Amino acid sequence: MAEPTDDQIDPQIDPTLAPDIAQAFQVLGLTAPVTRERLEQKRQELLGTWHPHRYANLTNNPRKYMQMYKKGEAMTKEINAAYDLLAAWLARKTKP
């Protein structure tokens, strides 16, 4: 098996962070090893899909719109939190 490059990190996860890191990978739909570019690309894809204002013209029912808007807000927060966690994890792993 090839050695990972500086921007492609093998998942040797600190045991205290393992559940959080695994959850972040799951939220973003990624598998390790991951690159910074792939992480950012996946984040942009998911934010485009879950952006709360995306639901504005999908329904005339205000209650249904607000349900989807709130779900979009929650997913956006979850995506950003997972991205921040994985970006920090990658930064720590790539430091010499």
Side-chain angles (χ1 to χ4, degrees), residues 36-53:
R36 180 69 176 211
E37 292 78 24
R38 179 69 181 130
L39 181 62
E40 290 179 19
Q41 177 188 18
K42 190 64 174 180
R43 176 183 179 226
Q44 290 304 317
E45 281 178 27
L46 290 172
L47 288 178
T49 300
W50 287 103
H51 193 281
H53 294 140

Side-chain angles (χ1 to χ4, degrees), residues 51-66:
H51 193 281
H53 294 140
R54 178 174 179 256
Y55 302 102
N57 296 323
L58 295 181
T59 181
N60 290 332
N61 182 338
R63 181 176 294 170
K64 187 172 182 177
Y65 167 71
M66 284 309 295

Side-chain angles (χ1 to χ4, degrees), residues 17 19-24 80-90 92:
L17 296 177
D20 293 339
I21 298 297
Q23 177 66 26
N80 283 326
Y83 171 82
D84 290 342
L85 182 63
L86 287 177
W89 179 73
L90 278 175
R92 280 194 309 270

